[in-house]
Each structure stands twice: as structure tokens, then as C-alpha cells.
Amino acid sequence: MIEAKKLPEEYGSLVFGDKVMRERLPKDVYKAVHKTIVSGTHLELDVANAVAVAMKEWAIENGATHYTHWFQPMTGLTAEKHDSFISPEGDGSVIMEFSGKELVKGEPDASSFPSGGLRATFEARGYTAWDPSSPAFIKDGSLYIPTAFCSYGGEALDKKTPLLRSMEALSKEAVKMMKLLGYEDVNRVNTTIGSEQEYFLIDKDDYMRRKDLLFTGRTLIGAPATKGQEMEDHYFGVIKPKVSAFMHDLDEELWKLGIPAKTKHNEVAPSQHEMAPVFETANVAVDHNQLTMEVMKKVADKHGYACLLHEKPFEGINGSGKHNNWSICTDTGINLLDPGKHPDENIPFLITLIAVIAAVDEYAPLLRLSVASAGNDHRLGANEAPPAVISIFVGDELTKVLDSIRSGKSFKGAGKEKMEMGAQVLPHITKDNTDRNRTSPFAFTGNKFEFRMPGSSVSVANANIVLNTAVAEVISRMTEKLSGLAGDELHDALTALLKEELIAHEKVLFNGNGYTDEWIAEAEKRGLPNLKALPDAMPHWIGEPSVELFTKHQIFTKEELDSRYEILLENYSKSINIEALTMQEMVRKDLTSGIIAYEQDLTKEILQKEQALPGAKAALEGNILKTLDEASSQIAVKLETLKKDTLEAESIEDPLAQADFYEKKVLADMDELRVYTDQAEALIPDEYLTYPTYGQMLFSLR
Ligand code: ADP
Ligand code: MG
């Protein structure tokens, strides 16, 4: 356990970060690495060699015998292959070696990772390339080196590469904009991300006894407990002692890995919790979120829990998301989404704000797709999560600012020195005044936007790739229109441009309750897309606006887009297929054995009662037996339909048609079957069931 007063020392003790590098690297090497990290410049091999030596020594001192290139293939998970540092000497002894070449480049076989067709046209070989901007760390006796993963032909086979590209693109466009506004000293703009992570904890033994949780991450059958979340007694509630011990351990493990875990609390649903870190550069934040999910599972296991990261583990109970807090900040320290008190800073803020509004409206289908998965589709649009319609909440204060832009009286003067906001509104905007709207999928929260649609289990890389690129595009479009202008001309053009963009995109603004049916109807009138399921949204990914956007900013080539299209659809269909098969098996074996055993005992009981007490009605037992029999007859019918449709789904060749069939038929069959399985289960005493019930799983934590 880390002593509280030793925390600053222990924090990041397993990370080869800036502090360690400054201590251990020769000055010129440190400078070169630092420059690479801060400004993204290329790193020479001699520098890499020097870093490798220091890294190896540090890693061995800290107990590592192996190193691994750690990467994020398109499965959305992480991947690793470990090599030891040993090098045999010929006399039976070994020395520990690690070269700059080994640090910089790895060659894992790419052939078993999904490539979405990229593999057919290119070699199976894949390369991992060191990402110096995300620090290496030690875990389970290995040195982990964050890397990008690409094919022999250079196509990105991972999520990190396009994320880094999108950060570059946004930086490039935002720097141009800042220079135009007179901020000559800005040379880089950084995307910052804080991703709040929701999760469930349940007893590990309970978890092990449910095939649905083991194989699919969510419960496929299960009658609701007689208590749900209606008492609203869990959110921010007192943390139970065992859970608290878990959270404490989790914090420590994360801190040692340099992950700035900050906030922890109980969430709305029973057994649901949240951890929020302090924000970091997008690339590091995404790596850290991937690690966080892994550490959560590991620490949970140590404490006798299973950590559920699925978006909707329990029917009728809130699902889990991952709020993606997003902003951009210049290398001179200006948060471009901070309204600030000083009017000078507000011109960049206004442009950024309008650019985000325009980007979110224009590329809403892509944002929707960036969070699409079989799991998250169960959450979006359910009444506890944002709907599948994307809208932006800006709050009252910013609405006033937008009103003044619309009326064209927003600011006077031009150029950095002279520009001034219509001061009457802005000084009042402080972080604390921003009101809350928990129902909005995309909300302004004082000095950042919070994108609330990402699911709890997915990498947030996709969401930020889309967001960064879309905003880069709008900023680029705006800067182009203003380029070459100065003084009054710039001022007039800017005023007109902000107004024009706002009017064109204000349909995406909505400050009301996003969970209501009225809003869905209103959104339709406004022409906002409502892409409920992944297959509905998927064609947008390879549509013309998407291809144009991503190829223009060099985030994805057409082939890279196609490959992701295929993988996402395939993954979706496979997930539902596994669910359908698991459900069939659980119903046929586990639930049915419970039904039979209980029916037998009921029948025996009724017969015995009649013998012992001629004329006895056995009404209660009889009614239960009858209802159970009716439910099981329906189960038999629905099970057959599900079986038939699952077989049909498996035989469909076109990936989009297949995904669509899984969504429209197989999922619907599963819902229908579930009505009767849950009816039956509700009648059966717990001891007749081979698996734990909702009540047991959700309310047994201490
Ligand atoms: P709330 O969601 O209640 O507004 P916080 O203000 O604590 O909570 O912020 C939530 C998350 O947003 C945290 O992870 C925090 O680090 C992150 N965050 C704060 N400022 C920024 C920023 N400028 N860019 C990105 N994320 C940020
Ligand atoms: Mg939040």
C-alpha cells in the first residue's frame, strides 16, 4: 500500500516518463527525445539507441525481464508479444540486451489480426513503430512500449495511427487559424481528453456461473429483481467497505502506471461505479484508458469481483458509458474552449466553438458511427443514455453569446490587439455558471465539450479521430475564407462568417431534455439523423462526405476506410451470433433444467397433496405449474424461431445485409424469447437455477 505522504514519489514509479528520462539520459539525447514528444519531429537511430540502453537498465532495475511492443489492433483491444532481454553468450551464460532498433521497430505477424481486406492486397507482415509521445511502462515483469501498428504497405492496422494523424491535422489547421488572428507564437495545438469510465462490479463466483456474462459480457436472460434503481439510492451513495478496498487498490495500481485517477464514486445503477482521470493529451489518454480497463479487471479479480465493462450488462438497469471530455489547447497554454474573462482570448474561443458546432452537425453520422458497437446500440436511446440523435447543449450563458453572433453585434475591432468581445455577456461565463444537462450527447461543460455517447468497453480513439478531423475541416474552411485579410476587413469577414456558420448549423443546438419522445420528433423535423442501430449508420462511413473528409486530411485512405467498414460490420454480426448461440444454449440447458426440476417437484407435491387430502385443490401449486407450462410452451416456439433465423443469418454473404438481418431479426427473436424465459424464471425458486439471478448479482456486494 502506498503511504499517502509518499504518493508524489510513488506516482508513475513504473513509468519511463519525463522525470526518469531527464535523470538517466545524456543531456543532448534527452533534448532530442523531448523535442520529438512535444513537437512530433522525427527521431534519429543514434538517439533511439541511447534511449534503449537507459530504458533497458531502468526496466531491469524495476524487475522486468522482457519487453513488448504494445499496440491497438482494429479489434479495439490491445495486443502484446513479449521478448526477453537475454542474449546467449556462447559459453552458456547470457547478457541482457536491447537495441535502438528493437525499441523503434517490431515485426509481429499481422495475419491473425483483422485487416478488413487490407491483408488480401498486401503482405501479411505487420510492423509496430515506437510512439515516443506515449511513455513506456512496466507491467507484470515486462517493459511495455506503446507502438503504432501498420501493414507492409504502410496502411494503418490500428487505432493509434489514425488518432495521431487526426491530432496532427487539427493542430495544423488550428495553428493556421491562430496565426491569422495574430497569435504568431502558437506552433502546436494539442487535443486533450479526459475519459470518465463507468463499470459494474459483481461477485466473481456469480460471474463464473453465467455463460452469457462469460461469453458475451451481458446477461441474455434474467427476470428483474423486485428492486431496481428506482429508489435512486446508489448514485454518489456511501461506498461499501469491500468496494472501497477495490477502488483504493485500483487507484494505486493506476497511479504507479502514471494514470492520473482522480474521482471515484457510485453510479446510478446498483453495483455500478465510475472512475474519472485528470485529462491528458489525447494519445496518452487513449492509451491510459485502455490500460485502465485492463487494470480494473485485474484488480477486481484480486478482490473476488468480476468487473463488467459491457455497455448494457443488465436489462432494465442503466448501462455504462465513457464520457469523452474533449478540448484543444495551444502550446502557449490557451485552452481554446475556455471562454475566459479576458476578451482578447475570446476570438479564438468563438471560432473554435462555432467550428465544433458546425463539425458536429455536419458530420453527425460519423460521430454516431465512432461509438457504434453491438453493445452500445443497447444503450443509446434507452432511457438512461443519450439518444442516437446527436445534438449539442451549450447552456444559457453561451446561448446569449450565440445570440449576439447571430445579430452580428458580437465584437468590435480586429487583430489580436484590437479585438474585443461584446463585453456585456462574456465576463459572466465562468465554469461554475455552466448549467448541467445530463441528457445531451454532446454538452459544453465550462471549458470543454463532453461527448457522452461512447460505450464503456470501446476504445475512445474512434470518437476522437472523428471529432478532431471534423473540427480540423471546419477550421480549415473558415481560415481559408479569411486568409489574406487584416484589420477591419478581417473583422467584417469574421463577423459574417461566424454568423453564417452558426445559422447553417444551429439546428444541432438543443438545450432541453434529450430523453423525451418530443425531442426525437422535433429532431426529425429539424432533419437531424437518428441512426438507431449500427447497420443503419454504416453506409455513411464509406459515403462521399466521409471519404472526402478523411482522405483530404490524410487520416484514412479509401482502403483504410473500407477495411474499417468491413471489420465493424463483421464484429457486429459475430457479436450477435455469439449472443444468439449462447442464449439458445443457456435456455436449453440451464433454464430448462430449472424448469423441469421445479415442475417435477410441483407435480409430485400436487399428487401427494391429493393423496393425503382427497379433494384438495392445490390451487397455488397448480397455478404456478400451469403458468410455467404456458411459458415453457412459448419458449419452445420462440427458441425454434431464433435457431432458424440464426442459421439464416450465418449464411448471408453481404456484410451489411448480414448485420442488418442480425439486428432486425435475430435480436428481435432474442427479445421475444426473453419475454417468456424471464416469465418462467420469475416463478422458479433460486435453488432450482444453476445460475445466479439479477437480485443475487446486483445486490450482494458488501
Ligand atoms: P464534470 O463531468 O462534472 O464536469 P470535471 O469538471 O471534473 O467533471 O471533468 C470531467 C473530466 O473532464 C475529467 O476527466 C477532467 O480531467 C476532464 N477535463 C477537464 N478539463 C478538460 C480539458 N480542458 N480537456 C479535456 N478534458 C478536460
Ligand atoms: Mg462529466
Side-chain angles (χ1 to χ4, degrees):
M1 214 172 103
I2 302 177
E3 254 184 275
K5 64 178 182 212
K6 294 238 172 88
L7 180 53
E9 257 168 72
E10 295 282 330
Y11 184 84
S13 60
L14 298 176
V15 182
F16 192 75
D18 193 67
K19 197 171 121 222
V20 185
M21 284 198 274
R22 212 175 326 129
E23 279 166 17
R24 291 181 173 246
L25 293 175
K27 237 197 187 110
D28 53 330
V29 175
Y30 171 75
K31 263 194 188 154
V33 178
H34 191 73
K35 190 164 162 236
T36 297
I37 295 172
V38 175
S39 53
T41 48
H42 183 71
L43 199 81
E44 299 301 330
L45 188 62
D46 55 334
V47 176
N49 275 325
V51 176
V53 170
M55 227 186 225
K56 180 197 70 182
E57 276 167 13
W58 170 83
I60 292 170
E61 278 168 37
N62 284 282
T65 51
H66 290 68
Y67 70 94
T68 178
H69 274 200
W70 184 64
F71 57 103
Q72 297 165 24
M74 294 188 279
T75 52
L77 307 169
T78 57
E80 54 197 43
K81 182 185 96 188
H82 301 248
D83 282 299
S84 70
F85 290 122
I86 63 160
S87 170
E89 281 288 79
D91 60 355
S93 66
V94 294
I95 53 166
M96 305 285 256
E97 271 187 347
F98 184 53
S99 69
K101 235 176 96 196
E102 287 167 312
L103 165 63
V104 170
K105 190 176 126 190
E107 278 189 53
D109 184 353
S111 58
S112 293
F113 293 105
S115 77
L118 287 176
R119 199 167 52 233
T121 32
F122 304 94
E123 270 202 55
R125 221 165 349 155
Y127 292 101
T128 48
W130 178 35
D131 167 19
S133 65
S134 182
F137 55 91
I138 291 175
K139 196 168 69 71
D140 306 324
S142 282
L143 169 69
Y144 280 69
I145 302 157
T147 56
F149 181 45
C150 64
S151 74
Y152 183 70
E155 285 78 16
L157 291 174
D158 68 346
K159 300 202 177 231
K160 185 189 271 284
T161 309
L163 177 67
L164 288 170
R165 290 174 183 163
S166 76
M167 291 164 67
E168 281 296 322
L170 181 54
S171 175
K172 193 175 117 199
E173 300 305 335
V175 166
K176 255 195 251 165
M177 170 191 91
M178 291 302 277
K179 292 211 188 282
L180 182 82
L181 295 177
Y183 293 80
E184 286 299 335
D185 51 345
V186 172
N187 288 310
R188 199 175 164 85
V189 172
N190 228 332
T191 321
T192 51
I193 302 296
S195 54
E196 306 164 45
Q197 178 73 48
E198 293 180 342
Y199 60 95
F200 279 87
L201 288 180
I202 64 165
D203 186 88
K204 189 164 58 172
D205 294 333
D206 286 348
Y207 173 79
M208 296 305 287
R209 283 164 58 213
R210 292 205 58 127
K211 291 184 191 118
D212 47 7
L213 286 179
L214 270 170
F215 298 151
T216 75
R218 73 177 179 112
T219 54
L220 301 167
I221 56 176
T226 44
K227 180 185 175 187
Q229 61 190 48
E230 62 276 55
M231 299 300 286
E232 296 168 338
D233 52 0
H234 199 252
Y235 189 59
F236 283 10
V238 177
I239 301 171
K240 293 174 181 154
K242 271 193 69 189
V243 175
S244 175
F246 158 83
M247 287 180 170
H248 197 87
D249 226 11
L250 174 65
D251 277 340
E252 287 195 355
E253 292 297 319
L254 295 176
W255 289 336
K256 280 192 262 177
L257 288 168
I259 300 173
K262 175 90 174 161
T263 310
K264 51 187 180 185
H265 60 82
N266 286 351
E267 257 300 329
V268 172
S271 293
Q272 190 186 31
H273 313 280
E274 179 180 305
M275 190 289 287
V278 177
F279 67 94
E280 301 175 282
T281 301
N283 171 36
V284 177
V286 169
D287 283 0
H288 278 172
N289 179 254
Q290 294 289 120
L291 258 182
T292 296
M293 292 192 282
E294 195 187 311
V295 174
M296 275 179 169
K297 287 187 182 163
K298 200 172 82 181
V299 175
D301 190 70
K302 228 172 75 188
H303 285 253
Y305 293 136
C307 173
L308 307 182
L309 291 171
H310 192 281
E311 284 76 14
K312 192 75 181 173
F314 303 102
E315 192 77 20
I317 296 284
N318 272 14
S320 298
K322 178 145 50 195
H323 295 171
N324 186 73
N325 293 273
W326 179 96
S327 190
I328 46 179
C329 189
T330 67
D331 55 354
T332 55
I334 307 169
N335 174 354
L336 294 176
L337 283 175
D338 190 344
K341 287 193 183 140
H342 206 277
D344 264 2
E345 287 176 0
N346 291 327
I347 303 309
F349 164 71
L350 282 183
I351 298 185
T352 311
L353 175 70
I354 295 292
V356 172
I357 292 172
V360 170
D361 181 43
E362 211 164 315
Y363 297 103
L366 298 183
L367 271 176
R368 165 68 184 89
L369 268 169
S370 76
V371 301
S373 70
N376 211 21
D377 276 6
H378 293 290
R379 178 177 157 264
L380 298 178
N383 59 6
E384 87 281 0
V389 178
I390 297 190
S391 65
I392 301 180
F393 167 86
V394 290
D396 294 343
E397 300 283 354
L398 276 194
T399 299
K400 283 184 217 156
V401 177
L402 294 179
D403 285 344
S404 70
I405 291 180
R406 205 179 289 107
S407 63
K409 288 185 226 138
S410 58
F411 44 84
K412 325 180 191 97
K416 187 183 173 187
E417 255 56 68
K418 285 181 278 167
M419 265 187 181
E420 245 180 75
M421 282 295 306
Q424 62 280 25
V425 257
L426 263 187
H428 302 298
I429 309 170
T430 64
K431 205 175 168 180
D432 301 320
N433 287 352
T434 321
D435 31 7
R436 300 259 143 195
N437 182 332
R438 292 277 164 205
T439 66
S440 175
F442 204 94
F444 184 74
T445 48
N447 60 353
K448 62 190 185 288
F449 273 101
E450 184 171 350
F451 185 32
R452 302 209 178 100
M453 285 171 100
S456 47
S457 72
V458 297
S459 159
V460 275
N462 280 355
N464 293 300
I465 292 167
V466 173
L467 201 49
N468 289 348
T469 314
V471 174
E473 167 57 21
V474 179
I475 292 181
S476 137
R477 177 169 82 203
M478 292 168 84
T479 322
E480 232 164 71
K481 284 191 186 156
L482 301 171
S483 88
L485 302 178
D488 285 349
E489 266 182 1
L490 175 59
H491 160 256
D492 293 345
L494 186 53
T495 310
L497 184 59
L498 290 179
K499 183 174 169 177
E500 180 189 313
E501 291 283 352
L502 175 62
I503 290 175
H505 298 289
E506 62 188 350
K507 68 174 190 295
V508 77
L509 300 174
F510 177 62
N511 286 340
N513 184 350
Y515 291 179
T516 62
D517 294 339
E518 289 77 33
W519 163 237
I520 301 301
E522 160 76 17
E524 197 183 334
K525 260 193 246 153
R526 293 189 190 186
L528 300 178
N530 183 6
L531 302 163
K532 282 198 201 114
L534 180 142
D536 307 332
M538 222 47 233
H540 289 278
W541 187 251
I542 48 171
E544 210 173 298
S546 172
V547 176
E548 228 165 75
L549 174 73
F550 288 121
T551 53
K552 174 178 168 191
H553 294 277
Q554 300 182 336
I555 312 301
F556 293 118
T557 61
K558 174 79 173 63
E559 290 73 27
E560 286 170 342
L561 280 173
D562 287 344
S563 72
R564 277 149 186 86
Y565 172 83
E566 232 169 78
I567 288 171
L568 211 56
L569 283 172
E570 211 178 86
N571 193 292
Y572 180 85
S573 294
K574 280 183 189 165
S575 302
I576 299 179
N577 191 58
I578 295 171
E579 289 183 351
L581 297 179
T582 305
M583 185 179 195
Q584 290 174 53
E585 179 170 314
M586 265 187 95
V587 173
R588 215 175 279 126
K589 292 187 184 170
D590 304 345
L591 178 64
T592 303
S593 67
I595 294 177
I596 293 172
Y598 189 43
E599 280 184 342
Q600 270 175 353
D601 280 359
L602 279 172
T603 312
K604 229 189 302 171
E605 169 63 22
I606 294 168
L607 291 174
Q608 279 174 358
K609 209 176 198 178
E610 270 172 5
Q611 261 179 7
L613 190 66
K617 293 202 177 71
L620 184 59
E621 303 88 327
N623 278 346
I624 295 175
L625 186 61
K626 191 161 162 271
T627 321
L628 207 46
D629 181 57
E630 280 163 8
S632 55
S633 307
Q634 288 296 328
I635 290 173
V637 176
K638 303 291 176 193
L639 198 55
E640 275 313 300
T641 314
L642 175 60
K643 188 175 152 194
K644 187 182 104 297
D645 286 339
T646 308
L647 280 174
E648 187 174 338
E650 283 169 3
S651 70
I652 300 173
E653 301 233 328
D654 176 70
L656 183 61
Q658 186 182 43
D660 201 51
F661 190 88
Y662 272 110
E663 196 256 320
K664 299 221 160 52
K665 293 291 276 192
V666 178
L667 276 182
D669 291 346
M670 289 168 66
D671 283 345
E672 282 192 29
L673 172 57
R674 184 161 182 166
V675 172
Y676 299 101
T677 59
D678 293 4
Q679 253 176 35
E681 192 196 289
L683 295 170
I684 302 173
D686 290 3
E687 60 269 26
Y688 285 82
L689 296 169
T690 56
Y691 56 87
T693 61
Y694 267 37
Q696 161 71 18
M697 285 186 287
L698 288 167
F699 293 97
S700 65
L701 293 199
R702 275 163 291 131

